Amino acid sequence: METTQQFETVIGLEVHLQLKTKTKIFCSCANDFGGEPNTRTCPVCLGLPGTLPVFNKQVLDYGIKIGLALNCAINNVIKFDRKNYYYPDLPKAYQISQFDLPIAKDGFLLVPSLNNELKKIRIHRAHLEEDAGKLMHDAVHPYSLVDYNRTGTPLMEIVSSPDMHSPQDAYDYLQTLKLTLQYLDVSDCDMEKGSLRCDANVSIRPKGETKLGTKTELKNMNSFKAVKAALEYEIARQTSVMLSGDKIIQETRLWDENKQMTFSMRSKEEAHDYRYFPEPDLVPFTISDEKIQSIKKMIPELPIDKYHRFIEHYHLSDYDARLLIQDAPLADFFEICAKNFHDTKKICNWLNTQVLQELNERKAPISKTLLTPDNLIMLIQKTDAGIISNLAAKDVLKIIFETGKQTEQIIEEQGLAQISDDVTLEKIADDLIRENQKVIEQIKNGEQKALGFLIGQAMKKMNGKANPKKIGDILQRRIFHG
Amino acid sequence: MISQEDVQYVASLSRIHLKKDEVECLSKDLEKIVDYIKKLESLETANIQPTSHVLPIQNVFREDIIKPSLSQKEALHFSIEQHQGCFKVPKIIE
Ligand SMILES: [Zn+2]
C-alpha cells in the first residue's frame, strides 16, 4: 500500500464507557438498558426548570478506579462544566461534562501486540460526563423519536494520545482497554448495547514530518472490527486525496457498515462551538490521597500482570496465557485446578478448547456453570489413565455442563469405561488375527496403517469401548511373538 | 470591535432571533461588556485560585440508591408531540 511507503498514519481514540452504577450520574433514576421508552426519567434528567443535579458518589469511585488502572494521575480537585449545544437528544441543551479539571490525566496502557512486544499508548485524559438520550429515525417517516431513558447515564470518556500508527494498533489498544475495564467490573463494556463506544481521530503525514496532518473524526462504528475497517478505509481515502494534490478537510465522517465506507457528516461547523463554562449547579469536588489509596487497594490484578505471572509461575505458553486472561473467571478457575493438579498444560488444553467452546455456546462465565475444578481434574485423570477415551471424555464434559453430575457417576451411567481387562481383549485379538490373515502379513511387512485398521476392527467389535492403546499392544505382541 | 456578524453568530448559537435594530444595539452593548472584561484581565491574578463556584462548599454527594422515576405518561406530558412512547421532533438527519 502506498501509505506504508510515503505516509505515516497517526491515530488517537476516544472511548465512551457507560458505568454500571445503580442510578444515573446526577439523579436517582435507574441506570439500566432497554425497557419501554421514557420510563426512567425524572425532572432532573429531563432538564426541567428549577431542578438541581446531585453527583452520584459511586460514579466518582468508579472514575478514580479507571483512572488508576490506566496509570493516570488523579486530580485532587475536580469540577464539572457545561458543554453547550442544541440537539433533541440533549434536553437541557447542554451536557454536563468536565473541561479543564478532569478526574484523570497523563496515563498509559501497555498493549501486547502481535509480535509479542508491548506498545505503550499514552492516555491523554479521562473525564466524567452524562450520556445523551437516544434518537430514532427511519428513511420513511418525516420525524425523529426521542427516548430519554439513557439521558444522564454516567460516562467516562477515555482519550488516548495520538500514539497509534495503524488500524491494527488501534484494534489491539481497544482489546486491551476493554479487557482492563472488564477486570475493574465498572461497566458491561458491550459495544452492541452501546455501553462501550469508540470514535477515532485519524490523519496521515509524509514520513519524517513531525507536524500532525489534518485529521478527520470517525464515528458510528459498532464493533472493534468496524473501527479497524473504518480506519483502513479512511487512511486509503486520505492517501488518495493527498496524492492527487488536494487538501484533507477537517470534518466528522460516519462509518457506513453496509457500504464499508465513511461519509462526510456535512454538519454545520458551529456545532463545535461548545462555549464551556463551569457548571454553577454543582460544587467542586476534592479527592483526598487517602481516598485514592483506598480505591487503589480495590483494583484487582490487571490482565497484563496476570499474563506475566501465568507464564512465570505456571510456565504457560504465550498462547495459553493470552487466551486465559481474556476471561477473568476462567483464569481463576485455572488457578484452582492448578493447585490440585500438576499438569498445567493439560488443564489449559481442556479449558482453552472444549470448555471454552461450551462457555461460548452457553454465553455464560464459567462461574455460572455446573463445571467445578474438582470434576474437571477427575475427568482429566480418568482420561489420562485410559479409563475413558478422549472422545468419551468430551461427551462426559457435555453431560457435566448439563447436569453437574460427578465424572465417575457419568462414566458408569453411560457405560463409557473402556474395556481394559486382559481376558476379553486377548480373546478379541485372537479372533481378529484368525479372521485377517492377509492384514497380518502386511503388518509383518511393517505397514503401520494395517495395524491401525485392525485396531479399528477391534473397536468396532467392542462398540468403541476397547482401550485402543491396550488392544494395539496385545495385537503387536501376538503377531510378532506369537 | 464586536461586529454585527459576531452578534448574529452568538444569537444563532442560542437560537435567538434578532431584528436589525436589536443587532445594532447589542453590538454596542457587547462591545462595552468585552471592554470591561479586558479591564478585569489587566489585574494581576497569577497567585489567585480561580473561583469555579461562588459557594464555599465542596463534595455534595448522593448515595447510589434508586428512587422511582416518572411514568411514561408523566414524562411525555411535557411534549409538544408524542408517538409510541417517545417525544416526536422534527427529523434529524445524521
Ligand atoms: Zn432522572
Side-chain angles (χ1 to χ4, degrees):
Chain A
M1 216 161 66
E2 276 146 324
T3 8
T4 50
Q5 290 157 13
Q6 300 184 19
F7 297 106
E8 181 193 37
T9 302
V10 180
I11 300 166
L13 297 178
E14 289 169 19
V15 167
H16 284 87
L17 184 74
Q18 286 184 339
L19 306 179
K20 60 171 182 191
T21 50
K22 292 188 189 76
T23 64
K24 294 184 177 182
I25 183 168
F26 297 123
C27 66
S28 304
C29 289
N31 172 24
D32 221 334
F33 179 80
E36 287 296 302
N38 296 301
T39 50
R40 292 188 300 274
T41 68
C42 71
V44 175
C45 57
L46 284 177
L48 301 187
T51 57
L52 284 175
V54 189
F55 188 31
N56 181 345
K57 208 175 204 170
Q58 186 65 60
V59 174
L60 182 73
D61 287 5
Y62 281 173
I64 296 170
K65 201 175 180 188
I66 294 168
L68 289 172
L70 299 178
N71 305 292
C72 289
I74 304 297
N75 271 322
N76 288 112
V77 179
I78 64 164
K79 69 172 174 77
F80 288 95
D81 301 275
R82 286 188 185 180
K83 179 178 180 179
N84 299 280
Y85 63 95
Y86 279 90
Y87 213 64
D89 64 3
L90 197 66
K92 301 192 296 296
Y94 59 83
Q95 178 193 31
I96 303 179
S97 181
Q98 295 194 288
F99 185 57
D100 57 337
L101 289 173
I103 186 164
K105 61 180 180 189
D106 301 331
F108 64 86
L109 187 66
L110 291 175
V111 178
S113 57
L114 279 182
N115 31 3
N116 285 352
E117 55 171 320
L118 282 178
K119 282 190 182 160
K120 186 174 180 172
I121 308 296
R122 287 170 300 157
I123 306 294
H124 173 55
R125 59 178 275 161
H127 66 259
L128 296 169
E129 61 187 25
E130 56 180 347
D131 208 345
K134 213 173 102 189
L135 269 172
M136 291 156 285
H137 28 240
D138 53 38
V140 190
H141 298 100
Y143 52 80
S144 297
L145 297 175
V146 202
D147 172 10
Y148 288 122
N149 281 343
R150 199 177 68 179
T151 309
T153 298
L155 286 182
M156 182 103 168
E157 181 175 337
I158 300 162
V159 184
S160 86
S161 295
D163 285 356
M164 288 156 273
H165 299 289
S166 69
Q168 184 64 44
D169 277 359
Y171 187 83
D172 293 340
Y173 165 82
L174 287 171
Q175 291 280 9
T176 307
L177 180 65
K178 180 180 169 186
L179 190 58
T180 304
L181 295 168
Q182 278 173 329
Y183 270 52
L184 297 179
D185 199 25
V186 293
S187 170
D188 287 340
C189 301
D190 188 339
M191 265 191 119
E192 271 172 42
K193 285 185 184 168
S195 55
L196 192 154
R197 313 197 281 270
C198 175
D199 300 336
N201 289 308
V202 57
S203 63
I204 59 172
R205 62 185 172 194
K207 276 210 166 145
E209 172 67 61
T210 50
K211 246 178 58 194
L212 287 171
T214 305
K215 67 176 180 186
T216 54
E217 186 179 10
L218 309 182
K219 287 178 184 275
N220 202 37
M221 292 84 79
N222 293 325
S223 65
F224 290 171
K225 257 170 84 184
V227 173
K228 200 174 157 193
L231 283 167
E232 270 157 9
Y233 176 86
E234 185 60 16
I235 292 162
R237 188 192 68 86
Q238 289 188 10
T239 304
S240 75
V241 171
M242 292 273 264
L243 289 176
S244 71
D246 286 338
K247 282 208 168 108
I248 310 285
I249 302 161
Q250 179 160 354
E251 62 182 349
T252 301
R253 297 179 70 87
L254 295 181
W255 173 244
D256 186 323
E257 183 70 30
N258 293 325
K259 298 200 176 97
Q260 295 282 301
M261 290 168 80
T262 65
F263 288 94
S264 175
M265 229 173 118
R266 269 184 240 102
S267 68
K268 291 164 266 170
E269 280 310 299
E270 68 163 53
H272 290 290
D273 195 340
Y274 294 128
R275 296 151 293 140
Y276 282 96
F277 65 85
E279 168 57 84
D281 288 344
L282 288 161
V283 295
F285 296 86
T286 52
I287 303 170
S288 67
D289 289 334
E290 292 79 58
K291 171 119 190 151
I292 294 171
Q293 286 312 317
S294 78
I295 290 177
K296 205 172 214 166
K297 287 196 193 105
M298 285 156 51
I299 294 178
E301 180 182 39
L302 294 175
I304 188 82
D305 302 317
K306 201 183 279 290
Y307 165 81
H308 285 128
R309 187 168 60 82
F310 274 17
I311 288 177
E312 223 165 81
H313 190 257
Y314 297 111
H315 309 291
L316 297 191
S317 66
D318 167 74
Y319 174 83
D320 280 338
R322 230 175 239 249
L323 218 65
L324 275 182
I325 63 156
Q326 297 302 316
D327 183 335
L330 192 67
D332 292 344
F333 190 95
F334 163 79
E335 290 206 83
I336 301 170
C337 290
K339 263 190 203 127
N340 300 312
F341 189 69
H342 65 285
D343 195 339
T344 52
K345 177 70 197 160
K346 252 188 194 128
I347 302 171
C348 283
N349 286 349
W350 274 92
L351 291 180
N352 286 340
T353 53
Q354 273 97 358
V355 172
L356 210 56
Q357 205 180 317
E358 287 287 333
L359 295 179
N360 287 340
E361 275 170 27
R362 280 153 217 276
K363 291 194 187 341
I366 196 159
S367 46
K368 293 263 164 69
T369 69
L370 295 168
L371 182 68
T372 63
D374 285 348
N375 223 357
L376 181 68
I377 291 172
M378 181 59 77
L379 182 62
I380 297 174
Q381 284 170 336
K382 294 282 183 204
T383 316
D384 266 9
I387 292 167
I388 50 172
S389 67
N390 283 320
L391 211 67
K394 286 180 192 176
D395 291 338
V396 173
L397 184 74
K398 257 197 174 1
I399 297 170
I400 294 175
F401 268 107
E402 278 157 22
T403 65
K405 281 182 183 168
Q406 288 300 306
T407 299
E408 281 164 311
Q409 193 190 343
I410 297 167
I411 293 173
E412 207 181 300
E413 281 177 5
Q414 306 284 320
L416 291 169
Q418 302 188 108
I419 289 158
S420 297
D421 84 276
D422 292 347
V423 182
T424 315
L425 293 181
E426 297 272 350
K427 163 103 180 41
I428 294 214
D430 270 353
D431 292 350
L432 281 171
I433 291 169
R434 211 174 40 244
E435 291 158 16
N436 296 281
Q437 280 305 315
K438 228 172 153 185
V439 182
I440 302 300
E441 285 312 308
Q442 288 172 333
I443 295 172
K444 282 184 174 164
N445 290 332
E447 283 183 43
Q448 280 299 312
K449 257 197 200 156
L451 180 65
F453 168 77
L454 224 48
I455 294 171
Q457 290 298 311
M459 297 297 282
K460 224 179 197 172
K461 274 182 190 269
M462 303 288 299
N463 293 324
K465 283 185 206 160
N467 182 333
K469 188 176 175 320
K470 197 140 189 196
I471 189 81
D473 289 347
I474 292 171
L475 281 166
Q476 290 216 44
R477 180 164 43 86
R478 286 289 177 107
I479 292 163
F480 292 104
H481 308 289
Chain B
M1 179 64 194
I2 304 292
S3 70
Q4 298 197 5
E5 284 75 40
D6 292 334
V7 174
Q8 288 287 16
Y9 173 68
V10 174
S12 74
L13 284 179
S14 302
R15 304 292 190 274
I16 297 171
H17 299 284
L18 298 174
K19 296 193 200 87
K20 199 170 177 327
D21 56 322
E22 286 173 323
V23 173
E24 276 168 26
C25 203
L26 279 167
S27 78
K28 280 176 201 142
D29 285 353
L30 264 179
E31 181 95 37
K32 277 183 204 156
I33 292 165
V34 170
D35 279 346
Y36 183 68
I37 301 281
K38 278 185 189 145
K39 203 165 160 187
L40 288 177
E41 275 178 344
S42 67
L43 292 171
E44 180 56 56
T45 57
N47 294 317
I48 296 171
Q49 282 283 321
T51 307
S52 52
H53 202 277
V54 291
L55 296 175
I57 42 173
Q58 289 178 326
N59 302 345
V60 179
F61 288 109
R62 178 174 61 75
E63 294 297 327
D64 189 22
I65 297 167
I66 299 173
K67 286 185 188 162
S69 294
L70 296 175
S71 68
Q72 189 187 65
K73 200 177 160 205
E74 287 168 320
L76 291 171
H77 175 73
F78 307 104
S79 65
I80 296 167
E81 268 192 285
Q82 49 174 281
H83 183 63
Q84 290 172 346
C86 290
F87 290 79
K88 191 171 164 186
V89 298
K91 187 156 195 171
I92 298 293
I93 305 158
E94 280 191 339

PDB file of all heavy atoms in Angstrom, chain A residues 24 26-30 40-46 151, chain B residues 69, ligand 1:
ATOM      1  N   LYS A  24     -28.393   6.921  37.790  1.00  0.00           N
ATOM      2  CA  LYS A  24     -27.750   7.837  36.845  1.00  0.00           C
ATOM      3  C   LYS A  24     -26.741   8.739  37.565  1.00  0.00           C
ATOM      4  O   LYS A  24     -26.643   8.721  38.787  1.00  0.00           O
ATOM      5  CB  LYS A  24     -28.825   8.671  36.145  1.00  0.00           C
ATOM      6  CG  LYS A  24     -29.747   7.827  35.249  1.00  0.00           C
ATOM      7  CD  LYS A  24     -30.738   8.697  34.482  1.00  0.00           C
ATOM      8  CE  LYS A  24     -31.596   7.851  33.536  1.00  0.00           C
ATOM      9  NZ  LYS A  24     -32.530   8.666  32.753  1.00  0.00           N
ATOM     10  N   PHE A  26     -26.514  12.116  37.887  1.00  0.00           N
ATOM     11  CA  PHE A  26     -26.943  13.296  38.653  1.00  0.00           C
ATOM     12  C   PHE A  26     -28.365  13.195  39.205  1.00  0.00           C
ATOM     13  O   PHE A  26     -28.912  14.169  39.707  1.00  0.00           O
ATOM     14  CB  PHE A  26     -26.823  14.558  37.791  1.00  0.00           C
ATOM     15  CG  PHE A  26     -25.405  14.852  37.387  1.00  0.00           C
ATOM     16  CD1 PHE A  26     -25.053  14.962  36.042  1.00  0.00           C
ATOM     17  CD2 PHE A  26     -24.408  15.023  38.349  1.00  0.00           C
ATOM     18  CE1 PHE A  26     -23.741  15.229  35.662  1.00  0.00           C
ATOM     19  CE2 PHE A  26     -23.091  15.294  37.980  1.00  0.00           C
ATOM     20  CZ  PHE A  26     -22.757  15.394  36.638  1.00  0.00           C
ATOM     21  N   CYS A  27     -29.025  12.027  39.038  1.00  0.00           N
ATOM     22  CA  CYS A  27     -30.361  11.846  39.609  1.00  0.00           C
ATOM     23  C   CYS A  27     -30.532  10.382  40.010  1.00  0.00           C
ATOM     24  O   CYS A  27     -29.680   9.553  39.718  1.00  0.00           O
ATOM     25  CB  CYS A  27     -31.440  12.263  38.611  1.00  0.00           C
ATOM     26  SG  CYS A  27     -31.527  11.210  37.157  1.00  0.00           S
ATOM     27  N   SER A  28     -31.647  10.081  40.669  1.00  0.00           N
ATOM     28  CA  SER A  28     -31.843   8.743  41.248  1.00  0.00           C
ATOM     29  C   SER A  28     -32.625   7.798  40.344  1.00  0.00           C
ATOM     30  O   SER A  28     -33.104   6.766  40.796  1.00  0.00           O
ATOM     31  CB  SER A  28     -32.546   8.873  42.596  1.00  0.00           C
ATOM     32  OG  SER A  28     -31.803   9.721  43.442  1.00  0.00           O
ATOM     33  N   CYS A  29     -32.765   8.135  39.067  1.00  0.00           N
ATOM     34  CA  CYS A  29     -33.398   7.214  38.120  1.00  0.00           C
ATOM     35  C   CYS A  29     -32.493   6.001  37.932  1.00  0.00           C
ATOM     36  O   CYS A  29     -31.273   6.111  37.990  1.00  0.00           O
ATOM     37  CB  CYS A  29     -33.583   7.882  36.756  1.00  0.00           C
ATOM     38  SG  CYS A  29     -34.835   9.159  36.725  1.00  0.00           S
ATOM     39  N   ALA A  30     -33.121   4.837  37.679  1.00  0.00           N
ATOM     40  CA  ALA A  30     -32.352   3.618  37.478  1.00  0.00           C
ATOM     41  C   ALA A  30     -31.487   3.744  36.224  1.00  0.00           C
ATOM     42  O   ALA A  30     -31.918   4.272  35.208  1.00  0.00           O
ATOM     43  CB  ALA A  30     -33.285   2.426  37.345  1.00  0.00           C
ATOM     44  N   ARG A  40     -37.615   5.819  32.479  1.00  0.00           N
ATOM     45  CA  ARG A  40     -36.594   6.045  33.511  1.00  0.00           C
ATOM     46  C   ARG A  40     -36.120   7.500  33.439  1.00  0.00           C
ATOM     47  O   ARG A  40     -34.964   7.778  33.148  1.00  0.00           O
ATOM     48  CB  ARG A  40     -35.411   5.075  33.330  1.00  0.00           C
ATOM     49  CG  ARG A  40     -35.759   3.614  33.608  1.00  0.00           C
ATOM     50  CD  ARG A  40     -34.530   2.734  33.617  1.00  0.00           C
ATOM     51  NE  ARG A  40     -33.811   2.746  32.365  1.00  0.00           N
ATOM     52  CZ  ARG A  40     -34.084   1.960  31.331  1.00  0.00           C
ATOM     53  NH1 ARG A  40     -35.063   1.092  31.388  1.00  0.00           N
ATOM     54  NH2 ARG A  40     -33.356   2.044  30.230  1.00  0.00           N
ATOM     55  N   THR A  41     -37.058   8.414  33.638  1.00  0.00           N
ATOM     56  CA  THR A  41     -36.710   9.838  33.614  1.00  0.00           C
ATOM     57  C   THR A  41     -37.325  10.526  34.824  1.00  0.00           C
ATOM     58  O   THR A  41     -38.229  10.004  35.463  1.00  0.00           O
ATOM     59  CB  THR A  41     -37.241  10.544  32.349  1.00  0.00           C
ATOM     60  OG1 THR A  41     -38.668  10.577  32.409  1.00  0.00           O
ATOM     61  CG2 THR A  41     -36.789   9.861  31.079  1.00  0.00           C
ATOM     62  N   CYS A  42     -36.784  11.695  35.124  1.00  0.00           N
ATOM     63  CA  CYS A  42     -37.327  12.499  36.225  1.00  0.00           C
ATOM     64  C   CYS A  42     -37.102  13.972  35.850  1.00  0.00           C
ATOM     65  O   CYS A  42     -36.458  14.265  34.841  1.00  0.00           O
ATOM     66  CB  CYS A  42     -36.628  12.136  37.535  1.00  0.00           C
ATOM     67  SG  CYS A  42     -34.918  12.700  37.612  1.00  0.00           S
ATOM     68  N   PRO A  43     -37.607  14.895  36.637  1.00  0.00           N
ATOM     69  CA  PRO A  43     -37.412  16.307  36.286  1.00  0.00           C
ATOM     70  C   PRO A  43     -35.935  16.681  36.097  1.00  0.00           C
ATOM     71  O   PRO A  43     -35.626  17.533  35.257  1.00  0.00           O
ATOM     72  CB  PRO A  43     -38.029  17.025  37.487  1.00  0.00           C
ATOM     73  CG  PRO A  43     -39.115  16.096  37.954  1.00  0.00           C
ATOM     74  CD  PRO A  43     -38.533  14.715  37.761  1.00  0.00           C
ATOM     75  N   VAL A  44     -35.008  16.018  36.833  1.00  0.00           N
ATOM     76  CA  VAL A  44     -33.580  16.367  36.697  1.00  0.00           C
ATOM     77  C   VAL A  44     -33.049  15.951  35.329  1.00  0.00           C
ATOM     78  O   VAL A  44     -32.478  16.766  34.597  1.00  0.00           O
ATOM     79  CB  VAL A  44     -32.734  15.719  37.821  1.00  0.00           C
ATOM     80  CG1 VAL A  44     -31.243  15.986  37.591  1.00  0.00           C
ATOM     81  CG2 VAL A  44     -33.165  16.237  39.182  1.00  0.00           C
ATOM     82  N   CYS A  45     -33.235  14.666  34.972  1.00  0.00           N
ATOM     83  CA  CYS A  45     -32.637  14.222  33.714  1.00  0.00           C
ATOM     84  C   CYS A  45     -33.452  14.659  32.495  1.00  0.00           C
ATOM     85  O   CYS A  45     -32.975  14.559  31.365  1.00  0.00           O
ATOM     86  CB  CYS A  45     -32.333  12.727  33.726  1.00  0.00           C
ATOM     87  SG  CYS A  45     -33.718  11.640  34.056  1.00  0.00           S
ATOM     88  N   LEU A  46     -34.656  15.143  32.727  1.00  0.00           N
ATOM     89  CA  LEU A  46     -35.404  15.746  31.613  1.00  0.00           C
ATOM     90  C   LEU A  46     -35.049  17.224  31.462  1.00  0.00           C
ATOM     91  O   LEU A  46     -35.514  17.898  30.546  1.00  0.00           O
ATOM     92  CB  LEU A  46     -36.916  15.603  31.839  1.00  0.00           C
ATOM     93  CG  LEU A  46     -37.526  14.232  31.593  1.00  0.00           C
ATOM     94  CD1 LEU A  46     -39.000  14.251  31.929  1.00  0.00           C
ATOM     95  CD2 LEU A  46     -37.323  13.791  30.143  1.00  0.00           C
ATOM     96  N   THR A 151     -30.528   9.279  28.981  1.00  0.00           N
ATOM     97  CA  THR A 151     -30.057  10.595  29.400  1.00  0.00           C
ATOM     98  C   THR A 151     -29.599  10.559  30.855  1.00  0.00           C
ATOM     99  O   THR A 151     -30.349  10.142  31.732  1.00  0.00           O
ATOM    100  CB  THR A 151     -31.202  11.627  29.280  1.00  0.00           C
ATOM    101  OG1 THR A 151     -31.752  11.511  27.980  1.00  0.00           O
ATOM    102  CG2 THR A 151     -30.696  13.030  29.502  1.00  0.00           C
TER     103      THR A 151
ATOM    104  N   SER B  69     -38.949   6.701  39.138  1.00  0.00           N
ATOM    105  CA  SER B  69     -38.925   7.695  38.067  1.00  0.00           C
ATOM    106  C   SER B  69     -40.345   8.132  37.751  1.00  0.00           C
ATOM    107  O   SER B  69     -41.304   7.568  38.280  1.00  0.00           O
ATOM    108  CB  SER B  69     -38.288   7.087  36.813  1.00  0.00           C
ATOM    109  OG  SER B  69     -36.942   6.795  37.032  1.00  0.00           O
TER     110      SER B  69
HETATM  111 ZN    ZN C   1     -33.683  11.195  36.344  1.00  0.00          ZN
END
